[in-house]
Amino acid sequence: MDIRKLCLLCLSFLSAFNVYAQAEKKDSTVQDNKGVLITLTDGIATTVRHTGRKIRKVGKEFNAIDTTYISPNLYNLAFMLESSSWYEYYRLGSKGNNGEQSLGFSPNASFKLGVYFGWRWIFLGYSFDVKDIFGGHKNKAKKTEMALNLYSSKFGVDLYYRKTGSDFKIRSSSGFDLNTPIKNLNFNGLQSKIKGLNAYWIFNYKKFSYPAAYSQSTNQRRNAGTLIAGLSVSTHNLKFDYAKLPEIIQETMSPGMKVRHIKYTNISLNFGYAYNWVFARNCLACLSLSPAVAYKTSRIEKDTEEPSDWYKNFNIDFILRAGVVYNNSKYFVGTSFVGRTYDYYKNSFSLNNGFGIL
């Protein structure tokens, strides 16, 4: 065998050995990758299971109840028809050379119908304004109203947002030299936005149930009361065009009431009491009231010739909840109301506003 053939044979052997080594290395790499992937997948699955158990454990702790006083519903899924109404009012006041003056504004109450599907204490659905069906909102600025209420055994949360239209009316007036009082006069110079959050803690949560009155996910079997404490944060944005008021009011209007834009943030701590009264079999009435110490910081834009003022002060607000419901664990019917008032006072200017959902 000549040297050239021997070299070719050696090269062929080395090439085949190299290919085999690469294939073996590639197979080993694939196996390693599969092992890492399996380990990673098992780790993720274990973490998900562990997290799920933790969430279920925390959920049970937050919804722990004394079954002598409270019984859970027998069903998780629910269907509900609902009629809801929003109410709100604004009162602007001032002290000046003409004494105390005030104007009260509010729109007509809005009525909505809705269809909802629920799982335990979560309800999703759609509602529409009754006036839209009959064309009652033609040529009116669009209103937006949203509210989300979550109730568990230990705590609850109210989220809300409201943007008014232009259908306010002057409901009351005082301190003005008027031959006849002004009432229910249309006024399109007022628009407002309000958004906020109420969070509260229920102390006697094993015997007292907010969900029994407001989300029908439990049933109160015996009378019970509880102390409640909470935190509230909200922002208010009010635009007021006093030039659209009747001339007779503008002529004697205090300069302190001639504001263009009021924007303030409200932060409050509240502490109160709630009571559930089981007045008949499967029938419950609930009432709670929470006074709140509120810190307010605001910017008030006065007439165009005057600079804006910043104010910071403390006031007392109130949160009211009330409900009556019949619930036999399968069917329920009832009504509930959640209302909130805000008060703002300075020497030359005051603002009281409140809203409620029925």
Side-chain angles (χ1 to χ4, degrees):
M1 181 181 294
D2 57 12
I3 296 176
R4 187 169 57 182
K5 290 183 178 181
L6 182 62
C7 291
L8 289 174
L9 182 62
C10 291
L11 288 174
S12 298
F13 175 77
L14 290 174
S15 177
F17 179 80
N18 185 48
V19 169
Y20 172 76
Q22 288 180 353
E24 187 179 48
K25 182 178 180 181
K26 182 177 181 181
D27 184 67
S28 176
T29 302
V30 171
Q31 294 297 326
D32 291 342
N33 290 339
K34 287 182 178 179
V36 172
L37 183 60
I38 291 173
T39 302
L40 181 61
T41 303
D42 290 343
I44 293 174
T46 301
T47 302
V48 170
R49 287 194 297 269
H50 181 70
T51 303
R53 286 194 293 267
K54 285 284 187 180
I55 293 174
R56 286 192 295 271
K57 183 178 179 181
V58 171
K60 289 182 179 179
E61 291 177 354
F62 274 108
N63 289 281
I65 57 176
D66 182 343
T67 53
T68 305
Y69 285 81
I70 304 169
S71 63
N73 268 355
L74 303 178
Y75 304 91
N76 288 328
L77 298 178
F79 169 75
M80 180 173 68
L81 296 175
E82 182 190 72
S83 171
S84 60
S85 302
W86 280 76
Y87 301 86
E88 65 179 320
Y89 77 90
Y90 292 87
R91 177 188 172 276
L92 278 68
S94 179
K95 293 181 180 179
N97 296 330
N98 297 327
E100 294 186 11
Q101 295 179 333
S102 68
L103 290 171
F105 305 90
S106 69
N108 291 327
S110 59
F111 296 92
K112 288 190 173 184
L113 296 177
V115 179
Y116 295 85
F117 293 90
W119 180 79
R120 293 188 178 181
W121 44 269
I122 300 175
F123 277 85
L124 297 175
Y126 175 78
S127 63
F128 57 90
D129 198 308
V130 176
K131 290 183 179 179
D132 290 339
I133 301 176
F134 303 101
H137 281 164
K138 291 181 179 179
N139 302 320
K140 295 288 186 180
K142 184 176 179 58
K143 295 192 293 185
T144 303
E145 301 164 345
M146 293 183 290
L148 173 64
N149 308 107
L150 303 178
Y151 299 97
S152 72
S153 297
K154 288 187 177 182
F155 71 95
V157 177
D158 300 324
L159 295 170
Y160 53 88
Y161 173 80
R162 177 171 172 81
K163 178 183 178 182
T164 66
S166 58
D167 55 349
F168 276 89
K169 293 185 177 182
I170 302 176
R171 301 294 185 178
S172 64
S173 62
S174 64
F176 300 93
D177 187 13
L178 304 175
N179 294 327
T180 56
I182 295 178
K183 287 186 178 180
N184 300 324
L185 180 66
N186 291 333
F187 179 68
N188 62 356
L190 182 63
Q191 289 189 334
S192 69
K193 294 180 184 178
I194 179 173
K195 55 185 175 181
L197 175 148
N198 295 327
Y200 46 90
W201 184 265
I202 302 166
F203 288 91
N204 189 22
Y205 59 88
K206 289 188 177 181
K207 296 182 178 180
F208 173 90
S209 177
Y210 253 149
Y214 301 108
S215 65
Q216 294 82 42
S217 57
T218 59
N219 297 271
Q220 188 81 40
R221 296 306 182 189
R222 292 188 179 183
N223 300 340
T226 182
L227 294 174
I228 52 177
L231 170 70
S232 176
V233 180
S234 61
T235 60
H236 306 252
N237 197 326
L238 184 69
K239 293 182 179 180
F240 178 55
D241 187 356
Y242 68 87
K244 294 184 178 181
L245 290 169
E247 291 186 4
I248 190 171
I249 291 182
Q250 294 185 49
E251 291 173 357
T252 58
M253 193 175 185
S254 171
M257 290 184 65
K258 294 183 178 181
V259 297
R260 296 286 187 182
H261 191 190
I262 305 166
K263 185 176 183 180
Y264 72 90
T265 300
N266 186 92
I267 303 173
S268 66
L269 296 175
N270 57 79
F271 190 82
Y273 188 80
Y275 191 78
N276 275 350
W277 175 37
V278 182
F279 59 91
R281 180 177 175 83
N282 299 323
C283 295
L284 172 67
C286 176
L287 179 66
S288 69
L289 179 64
S290 301
V293 178
Y295 171 76
K296 297 178 173 66
T297 175
S298 63
R299 186 187 66 171
I300 298 179
E301 294 181 5
K302 295 185 178 181
D303 206 352
T304 54
E305 298 178 357
E306 298 185 33
S308 299
D309 287 337
W310 282 89
Y311 296 115
K312 298 179 181 180
N313 66 346
F314 288 89
N315 289 116
I316 300 295
D317 299 332
F318 291 93
I319 303 174
L320 172 68
R321 296 181 180 88
V324 178
V325 65
Y326 168 83
N327 188 351
N328 67 1
S329 297
K330 186 174 183 179
Y331 301 102
F332 63 85
V333 60
T335 182
S336 63
F337 176 80
V338 180
R340 182 71 193 259
T341 65
Y342 303 90
D343 297 306
Y344 185 89
Y345 293 98
K346 295 300 289 184
N347 291 333
S348 61
F349 177 78
S350 65
L351 171 66
N352 310 98
N353 67 297
F355 71 94
I357 307 170
L358 177 65

